[in-house]
Amino acid sequence: MSLETFWFALVAVLFVMYFVLEGFDFGVGMLLPFLGRRSEPDGDKRRRLLLTTIGPVWDGNEVWLITGGGALFAAFGGWYATMFSAFYLPLFLILIGLIVRVVAIEWRGKINDPRWRAWCDVGIGLGSWLPAILWGVAFANVVRGIPIDAEHQYTGGFFNLLNPYALLGGLTTVLCFITHGAVFIALKSHGAVRDDAQTVAWRLAIPTAAVAAGFLLWTQFAYGKGWTWTLVAIAAVAAVVMVIGAYLRREGIAFAATCIAIAATVGLLFAVLFPNVLPSLTDSAYDLTVANTSSSHYTLVVMTWAAGIMTPVVLLYQGWTYWVFRQRLTIDRIPEAGGLPLREEVPVK
């Protein structure tokens, strides 16, 4: 295996890790207003429990995106440049969503004011729904290809990216992430929240499997190779197991299945793409490939040594974090809302 191929595979693995781990974070954020309804007496405690399920890990999960983006920039500068210029608006909106989500999660408990927390919940929802949709749209367009000229410049517009295949990709990621999040909440909680999450997971399981199956088959028939049927089969079996696990309320089995299904789906997108990294709809001669966008051999050698040293450290640390915070949560363990007092309650000196 050449270093170029190795780094293409490694970039794929980094994005697989990101979508599997950050996927349930997005799902929790999207489910926040549904599993923590304000009309319920314990609505605020429910929302805080949901955020606590991802509290120790959500920022660590985002490291995979930073690492994936950095690896893409360093190993395939031409791919990075063309893709980021072509997808400037979608990626900008994803970045805004992620920033708003980070700020909302971190600042939600800083002021003891229901209105403040309500606005933060809006930010968490926006920062979860927007990336969940746009990541699917972006990656589907990478597989489908975009108008690129001989100078590897994007010649289309924003609405070129909103084609039926890309929109189906966005719907697939939204449904997969929200189902993934519901199963994760059930796995991490006890009591009424767990029951409600299991119900949501079961209701979403079949629609999610159906939409994902449509996207997988479209991808395979339009862009796939003979051996990539293996990834389609793995994703299909995992989806069936997810549906059965959700029906039986076995969230452990269902969560493992959603992880495998998401990993196989993202792996399929990279597999059908190779050896291209960004096809050109203008002329196949203008395709961006692993060979014509990679960095120098020396750069890839240095990166390989750095990755070989640091990747096991990151995996061990993140695995340890999940192990330490493996316990289930209940509402009675969530303290009353605290933080800074309401502004009008601050005594005047």
Side-chain angles (χ1 to χ4, degrees), residues 302-325:
V302 174
M303 290 175 60
T304 302
W305 278 103
I309 295 170
M310 296 305 300
T311 302
V313 176
V314 174
L315 289 171
L316 287 171
Y317 173 76
Q318 194 159 30
W320 175 78
T321 302
Y322 277 92
W323 174 257
V324 169
F325 296 100

Side-chain angles (χ1 to χ4, degrees), residues 329-340:
L329 302 170
T330 55
I331 291 180
D332 61 306
R333 300 294 298 274
I334 303 297
E336 296 297 328
L340 298 176

Side-chain angles (χ1 to χ4, degrees), residues 180 182-188 194 198 241-242 244-246 248-260 328:
H180 195 37
V183 175
F184 178 77
I185 293 168
L187 186 66
K188 288 288 294 178
R194 180 189 180 192
Q198 288 175 330
V241 173
M242 178 269 293
I244 295 173
L248 297 176
R249 295 181 176 257
R250 299 291 298 275
E251 61 270 9
I253 294 174
F255 183 72
T258 56
C259 289
I260 294 172
R328 292 179 183 264

Side-chain angles (χ1 to χ4, degrees), residues 228-253:
T228 54
W229 276 108
T230 303
L231 293 171
V232 175
I234 292 172
V237 171
V240 172
V241 173
M242 178 269 293
V243 172
I244 295 173
Y247 175 73
L248 297 176
R249 295 181 176 257
R250 299 291 298 275
E251 61 270 9
I253 294 174

Side-chain angles (χ1 to χ4, degrees), residues 38 92 117 148 269 291 342:
R38 297 186 178 280
F92 178 75
R117 291 194 291 272
I148 302 173
L269 297 180
L342 292 171

Side-chain angles (χ1 to χ4, degrees), residues 263-346:
T265 300
V266 178
L268 175 68
L269 297 180
F270 279 91
V272 300
L273 188 61
F274 185 80
N276 291 330
V277 293
L278 192 59
S280 171
L281 296 180
T282 305
D283 190 328
S284 60
Y286 305 152
D287 288 350
L288 274 67
T289 67
V290 169
N292 66 19
T293 61
S294 67
S295 298
S296 67
H297 179 77
Y298 178 76
T299 300
L300 297 181
V301 169
V302 174
M303 290 175 60
T304 302
W305 278 103
I309 295 170
M310 296 305 300
T311 302
V313 176
V314 174
L315 289 171
L316 287 171
Y317 173 76
Q318 194 159 30
W320 175 78
T321 302
Y322 277 92
W323 174 257
V324 169
F325 296 100
R326 66 188 182 278
Q327 294 85 2
R328 292 179 183 264
L329 302 170
T330 55
I331 291 180
D332 61 306
R333 300 294 298 274
I334 303 297
E336 296 297 328
L340 298 176
L342 292 171
R343 198 167 288 176
E344 58 267 24
E345 294 175 352
V346 177

Side-chain angles (χ1 to χ4, degrees), residues 48-325:
R48 289 164 60 210
L49 184 147
L50 296 179
L51 292 176
T52 303
T53 63
I54 61 172
V57 298
W58 68 267
D59 48 354
N61 294 340
E62 291 189 341
V63 169
W64 293 101
L65 174 62
I66 299 170
T67 307
L72 188 64
F73 171 78
F76 301 100
W79 182 13
Y80 180 94
T82 302
M83 185 172 68
F84 272 67
S85 61
F87 300 153
Y88 182 84
L89 182 57
L91 293 176
F92 178 75
L93 292 174
I94 289 173
L95 181 61
I96 291 297
L98 293 177
I99 292 173
V100 169
R101 177 170 163 265
V102 169
V103 172
I105 292 175
E106 292 287 354
W107 290 4
R108 188 180 187 276
K110 300 299 183 183
I111 299 178
N112 185 19
D113 184 350
R115 292 168 298 178
W116 171 262
R117 291 194 291 272
W119 278 110
C120 287
D121 292 344
V122 171
I124 294 170
L126 177 66
S128 300
W129 282 95
L130 197 59
I133 297 171
L134 293 178
W135 277 128
V137 171
F139 270 83
N141 274 296
V142 169
V143 172
R144 175 179 178 266
I146 57 177
I148 302 173
D149 62 17
E151 283 74 39
H152 293 171
Q153 298 294 319
Y154 178 60
T155 58
F158 174 73
F159 291 102
N160 288 99
L161 306 178
L162 301 180
N163 51 80
Y165 176 69
L167 294 176
L168 180 60
L171 180 60
T172 300
T173 51
V174 164
L175 288 174
C176 286
F177 290 165
I178 198 169
T179 305
H180 195 37
V183 175
F184 178 77
I185 293 168
L187 186 66
K188 288 288 294 178
S189 60
H190 266 310
V193 173
R194 180 189 180 192
D195 295 338
D196 290 349
Q198 288 175 330
T199 300
V200 170
W202 164 237
R203 289 177 178 175
L204 291 174
I206 295 178
T208 299
V211 171
F215 179 68
L216 287 168
L217 291 174
W218 190 339
T219 302
Q220 177 61 31
F221 283 119
Y223 313 105
K225 309 171 180 70
W227 68 270
T228 54
W229 276 108
T230 303
L231 293 171
V232 175
I234 292 172
V237 171
V240 172
V241 173
M242 178 269 293
V243 172
I244 295 173
Y247 175 73
L248 297 176
R249 295 181 176 257
R250 299 291 298 275
E251 61 270 9
I253 294 174
F255 183 72
T258 56
C259 289
I260 294 172
I262 292 172
T265 300
V266 178
L268 175 68
L269 297 180
F270 279 91
V272 300
L273 188 61
F274 185 80
N276 291 330
V277 293
L278 192 59
S280 171
L281 296 180
T282 305
D283 190 328
S284 60
Y286 305 152
D287 288 350
L288 274 67
T289 67
V290 169
N292 66 19
T293 61
S294 67
S295 298
S296 67
H297 179 77
Y298 178 76
T299 300
L300 297 181
V301 169
V302 174
M303 290 175 60
T304 302
W305 278 103
I309 295 170
M310 296 305 300
T311 302
V313 176
V314 174
L315 289 171
L316 287 171
Y317 173 76
Q318 194 159 30
W320 175 78
T321 302
Y322 277 92
W323 174 257
V324 169
F325 296 100

